[in-house]
Amino acid sequence: MIETNQIVINTCLLAGRIMIENGSEMSRAEDTMKRIAMNSGVNNLKIFGTITGIIVSIPNSMDSQVEGINRRAIDLEKVSAVNTFSRRYADKDITLEEFYEKLNTLDEATPSFPFWLQVIGAALVSGPLMTAFSGNMVDLGITTLTGALGYTLFYFVNRILNIKYISEFFASIIIGIIAVFAVRWGWGHSIDDIIIGSVMPLVPGVPLTNAVRDILNGHLVSGPARGIEALLSACAIGFGIAFVFRFL
């Protein structure tokens, strides 16, 4: 029984860590972990989860464990995959051991979207959203290009420094510089519209949404922490644009 409990705890912790690391709100991650435990015959699993770690224990036993969370990204495909495996386990399509192995494979071997596809996504987010917000069709092309270039710089700086806020700061500077000179040289019409559209791929929409949802669900540690994280990203973007306006 002790060995079975340990497998349940390991599976729950791995599932929860993957979900939280890749953009899931805390309530969804905890619900998935509890469902995994209930489908394994453990009806009273205790969970304390934050965005930096998860503590899981089974009452009336010596089984408990802590799992640290050292990174945070946005990959909702992995979140969906964990939920899919959980439903398959609930339907008895896979065993607990198979479930755990699939989670390990998902965590270690699942590739992210290729760089070129991410750049195309950033470009498609930038131009069309700018047009939708402002109705400005004139700057659609330059905004699409600026958004792609800004995200490209963010991607490479982040790979080197692995500090998201600094990467967003430098990407915002490039976006601001391109927007200013594009208008000065007659390639664009509105600096504000170009900047607003181009920074959209950098805006922390998912962390901000998750912060609000966590607070509403009573997670008063994770919610404010995620809110501060989103605020720091917004400040990095804003400071980058302000830096350009100050000197150009």
Side-chain angles (χ1 to χ4, degrees):
M1 184 63 180
I2 294 177
E3 183 178 355
T4 301
N5 286 347
Q6 195 60 49
I7 296 175
V8 172
I9 289 177
N10 290 341
T11 305
C12 290
L13 284 172
L14 182 55
R17 178 173 64 79
I18 292 173
M19 295 183 72
I20 295 171
E21 281 183 346
N22 292 284
S24 171
E25 65 272 20
M26 197 62 61
S27 58
R28 183 175 181 180
E30 289 188 359
D31 180 69
T32 299
M33 295 167 68
K34 289 180 179 179
R35 290 179 183 274
I36 293 171
M38 290 177 62
N39 291 321
S40 303
V42 178
N43 297 317
N44 55 349
L45 187 75
K46 301 300 181 183
I47 303 171
F48 178 78
T50 70
I51 61 173
T52 56
I54 309 172
I55 302 174
V56 169
S57 66
I58 299 176
N60 302 320
S61 75
M62 299 296 292
D63 299 299
S64 63
Q65 197 165 325
V66 178
E67 182 76 18
I69 299 173
N70 300 316
R71 69 177 186 88
R72 281 173 294 283
I74 304 299
D75 192 344
L76 299 182
E77 186 177 7
K78 285 189 176 183
V79 176
S80 177
V82 172
N83 285 142
T84 299
F85 294 148
S86 177
R87 286 189 289 269
R88 289 185 60 191
Y89 177 58
D91 294 335
K92 308 301 180 184
D93 291 339
I94 56 176
T95 64
L96 183 61
E97 290 76 12
E98 291 173 337
F99 187 8
Y100 183 72
E101 290 301 321
K102 287 182 180 294
L103 289 175
N104 272 315
T105 301
L106 177 68
D107 186 36
E108 298 173 1
T110 301
S112 60
F113 291 106
F115 167 68
W116 63 268
L117 188 57
Q118 295 182 46
V119 173
I120 291 176
L124 294 178
V125 166
S126 302
L129 278 182
M130 181 277 297
T131 302
F133 290 152
S134 65
N136 182 357
M137 293 293 295
V138 177
D139 293 330
L140 176 61
I142 188 63
T143 303
T144 300
L145 178 61
T146 304
L149 291 175
Y151 184 83
T152 298
L153 181 66
F154 165 79
Y155 179 88
F156 285 110
V157 173
N158 199 46
R159 289 191 64 179
I160 296 171
L161 300 179
N162 198 28
I163 303 176
K164 182 178 67 171
Y165 310 115
I166 296 179
S167 306
E168 291 168 339
F169 176 74
F170 284 114
S172 299
I173 289 177
I174 290 299
I175 288 172
I177 291 174
I178 294 174
V180 169
F181 283 103
V183 172
R184 288 183 182 178
W185 294 342
W187 297 346
H189 178 264
S190 172
I191 294 177
D192 292 343
D193 290 347
I194 295 172
I195 290 176
I196 290 171
S198 300
V199 300
M200 282 300 161
L202 307 178
V203 171
V206 174
L208 184 60
T209 302
N210 286 343
V212 175
R213 295 189 65 173
D214 283 348
I215 292 173
L216 293 178
N217 286 321
H219 293 275
L220 300 181
V221 174
S222 300
R226 277 181 162 156
I228 292 173
E229 186 178 29
L231 179 62
L232 288 174
S233 290
C235 289
I237 296 170
F239 289 154
I241 300 300
F243 182 85
V244 173
F245 284 164
R246 175 65 179 81
F247 293 102
L248 294 181

